[in-house]
Amino acid sequence: MMTKPRILVARAIFPEVLERLATCLVVESNQADEAWSREQLIERLRGCQGIFTTGSERIDAALLAACPQLKICANMAVGYNTIDVAAATRLGILVTNTPGILTEATADLAFALILGVARR
């Protein structure tokens, strides 16, 4: 019998997303939304094949080296500036993000500001 891969969800996310992840993964989550120290993050990440980040976690070469079983770093953010993509690539770790997720919301806000200015 194959065991499910383990993933660490570094910050609070919607319960429905956790439920979906749990159908095919062993999930450790931070639903308390605590800001873990670097050492706490590494300790929790050991033994995990994946990490689901929110952009507030710094994933650098040293952290990646401390967690050699890591296979994917999935960032729930538009950017990936908190992830050392070059180091991850060298180690064969997949890095993902969510480009375009804020495009419509940003456009809506800009239009609302334009209307607000026009109405004084």
Side-chain angles (χ1 to χ4, degrees):
M1 181 166 90
M2 249 176 90
T3 59
K4 293 180 180 180
R6 289 185 60 222
I7 186 170
L8 175 66
V9 178
R11 297 303 293 253
I13 61 172
F14 293 115
E16 299 82 15
V17 176
L18 284 178
E19 289 173 18
R20 185 157 184 191
L21 290 172
T23 63
C24 56
L25 303 165
V26 175
V27 180
E28 179 184 343
S29 67
N30 181 7
Q31 289 303 93
D33 206 35
E34 299 170 354
W36 291 331
S37 71
R38 179 177 180 76
E39 294 75 24
Q40 289 172 314
L41 180 61
I42 291 171
E43 184 60 34
R44 285 179 168 84
L45 191 53
R46 287 201 172 112
C48 291
Q49 288 74 42
I51 183 168
F52 187 55
T53 63
T54 61
S56 59
E57 300 77 30
R58 182 93 182 124
I59 309 298
D60 59 17
L63 181 140
L64 296 172
C67 303
Q69 73 295 337
L70 198 61
K71 301 292 181 213
I72 185 168
C73 180
N75 192 27
M76 186 177 64
V78 173
Y80 47 87
N81 57 320
T82 58
I83 302 169
D84 187 337
V85 176
T89 300
R90 280 192 305 276
L91 295 168
I93 299 169
L94 181 64
V95 175
T96 67
N97 67 335
T98 52
I101 194 80
L102 298 174
T103 304
E104 288 184 27
T106 303
D108 290 346
L109 178 59
F111 195 77
L113 290 171
I114 290 168
L115 286 174
V117 169
R119 292 180 181 168
R120 295 184 184 189

